[in-house]
Amino acid sequence: MTTVQPVQPVLRAHAEDQYAEELALLAKDDDRTRPPGWKLSPWAVTAYILGDGDRITPKYIGPRRIVEVAVATLATDRALLLLGVPGTAKTWLSEHLAAAISGDSTLLVQGTAGTAEEAIRYGWNYARLLAEGPSREALVPSPVMRAMAEGRIARVEELTRMPSDVQDALITVLSEKTLPVPELNEEVQAARGFNIIATANDRDRGVNDLSSALRRRFNTVVLPVPATPEEEVDIVSRRVEQLGRSLELPETLTGLEEIRRVVTVFRELRTGVTEDGRTKVKSPSGTLSTAEAISVITNGIALAAHFGDGVLRPSDVAAGIVGAVVQDPVSDRVVWREYLETVVRERQDWRDFYRACRDAG
């Protein structure tokens, strides 16, 4: 007799599943014009991304105009390229845009140095191909081909990581809105609602730069780093709270003081100057992004909950900070020690933080 195992909850639900209630709520009240194939109007998509201060939680914290330009781009025949340094929520924003527009954020191509052209176009079930020859049944559609056929949004992550010839497979898709299948003497034409959101790290310039022909097919939106410490603290606090709930971490007293310290350290090392502008500091080789600050705090909460007294303290975040800063064991360690001794040590209210970081280092 077979025992049916209970279905385990997923570690991370897709955006359209995690925020299904909010999307349904917006769709119910959305009486504005919707582009063909869209689940929501551009206005409602923007409200979903930025929140409404009441029933809809913000998914992205940043300039409203950036989101409006991104949404408006996807309502045209131009594809969208989200460009920015690591940790500026490019992937996060692309997922939520796809979820709000198509109701499906899973049509994803992950760009790497080894990404093949089949990931953009299509592949074959070689067993059936050898047995039957080229046929519809033997063809394996890519996420882009599926998005075209179904009128949905396809996502291409780390576009500039992909080889140039693979990138250029997108040119016909974006310009002609069709994907030829010469083996079958057929083509797949894009249904209304189809578009592409690509992301790229602007630190990867020179890896596989986009050709001018491909770049013209995209409207580029640059995502900035948080403009102020307060804005970054707000982002980190919100995401840490969300991650804590999804990971079901035990309740922990997470004081804003430790979050502010982590954000301050990362911003000062990132910009090369202290907050008051009086002291220049050396920058390490890493990016020290907002995403890394979120990771440091989340890891600290896990330490405090499972191995501490349930209160987030400097000792819980110190090891994470050192690990994030010291990527190069030689040069970065010198940068970190100098910052610790010349900046952190001199702050009277940071004495416990200084000792924790010194011990962790």
Side-chain angles (χ1 to χ4, degrees):
M1 183 176 179
T2 303
T3 302
V4 178
Q5 296 294 329
V7 177
Q8 294 294 326
V10 297
L11 183 60
R12 182 185 183 277
H14 298 301
E16 59 271 20
D17 298 325
Q18 186 176 356
Y19 295 97
E21 291 185 7
E22 292 186 13
L23 290 168
L25 188 63
L26 283 166
K28 180 182 178 181
D29 299 335
D30 187 14
D31 57 359
R32 299 175 184 246
T33 302
R34 303 182 188 186
W38 284 39
K39 300 291 186 182
L40 299 172
S41 68
W43 180 89
V45 172
T46 303
Y48 168 75
I49 298 295
L50 296 174
D52 65 356
D54 183 17
R55 300 175 297 177
I56 309 301
T57 58
K59 318 302 179 302
Y60 174 77
I61 298 174
R64 181 181 185 86
R65 197 59 175 173
I66 284 179
V67 177
E68 291 175 341
V69 170
V71 173
T73 295
L74 294 170
T76 70
D77 64 346
R78 300 262 294 184
L80 173 65
L81 175 62
L82 299 175
L83 185 67
V85 299
T88 47
K90 300 182 294 297
T91 298
W92 180 254
L93 181 57
S94 75
E95 179 186 0
H96 283 283
L97 284 170
I101 293 170
S102 298
D104 184 359
S105 64
T106 64
L107 298 174
L108 172 68
V109 176
Q110 180 61 58
T112 68
T115 300
E117 193 172 335
E118 287 80 3
I120 300 294
R121 300 176 73 241
Y122 53 86
W124 296 98
N125 180 326
Y126 286 103
R128 300 199 68 164
L129 183 65
L130 292 172
E132 306 169 6
S135 66
R136 273 279 181 180
E137 291 71 27
L139 186 144
V140 180
S142 70
V144 174
M145 178 181 274
R146 286 181 54 201
M148 294 178 72
E150 299 168 11
R152 298 179 184 272
I153 299 290
R155 300 164 54 211
V156 180
E157 289 293 311
E158 303 291 355
L159 179 59
T160 52
R161 291 265 177 195
M162 296 162 55
S164 298
D165 58 332
V166 178
Q167 293 176 14
D168 287 344
L170 287 170
I171 292 178
T172 301
V173 171
L174 296 179
S175 59
E176 304 298 329
K177 305 301 186 232
T178 185
L179 182 55
V181 187
E183 296 90 342
L184 302 179
N185 196 27
E186 295 179 8
E187 66 178 9
V188 175
Q189 291 185 302
R192 291 196 169 192
F194 166 73
N195 213 327
I196 287 179
I197 305 173
T199 67
N201 176 355
D202 66 1
R203 289 201 173 194
D204 286 341
R205 288 174 181 168
V207 176
N208 290 302
D209 288 335
L210 301 184
S211 66
S212 59
L214 182 56
R215 187 174 286 277
R216 286 197 304 270
R217 269 73 180 180
F218 283 100
N219 186 31
T220 301
V221 172
V222 179
L223 299 186
V225 296
T228 65
E230 292 75 20
E231 185 177 310
E232 191 161 3
V233 167
D234 186 28
I235 294 171
V236 173
S237 300
R238 289 175 184 271
R239 284 294 293 137
V240 164
E241 182 181 356
Q242 292 170 348
L243 284 171
R245 286 199 304 267
S246 66
L247 296 173
E248 297 186 7
L249 291 175
E251 288 291 331
T252 302
L253 292 177
T254 309
L256 282 177
E257 182 179 7
E258 299 309 326
I259 295 178
R260 286 196 181 97
R261 283 173 171 171
V262 173
V263 168
T264 299
V265 169
F266 278 27
R267 290 181 70 90
E268 290 181 336
L269 288 172
R270 197 165 62 213
T271 59
V273 65
T274 55
E275 275 192 331
D276 57 13
R278 295 179 179 178
T279 306
K280 289 186 178 181
V281 298
K282 296 176 182 176
S283 295
S285 59
T287 58
L288 300 182
S289 65
T290 306
E292 289 168 297
I294 293 168
S295 177
V296 168
I297 295 297
T298 303
N299 187 68
I301 289 174
L303 283 171
H306 294 298
F307 302 103
D309 59 1
V311 179
L312 186 67
R313 303 186 185 281
S315 57
D316 300 315
V317 299
I321 290 178
V322 174
V325 174
V326 184
Q327 299 292 314
D328 184 307
V330 179
S331 62
D332 289 345
R333 191 170 296 279
V334 172
V335 170
W336 173 241
R337 285 177 177 170
E338 183 176 316
Y339 174 78
L340 198 60
E341 297 299 328
T342 61
V343 177
V344 176
R345 186 179 184 180
E346 299 303 315
R347 291 173 173 160
Q348 295 299 320
D349 55 343
W350 281 36
R351 288 298 175 86
D352 53 346
F353 183 78
Y354 166 75
R355 287 193 295 270
C357 290
R358 185 189 59 190
D359 293 343

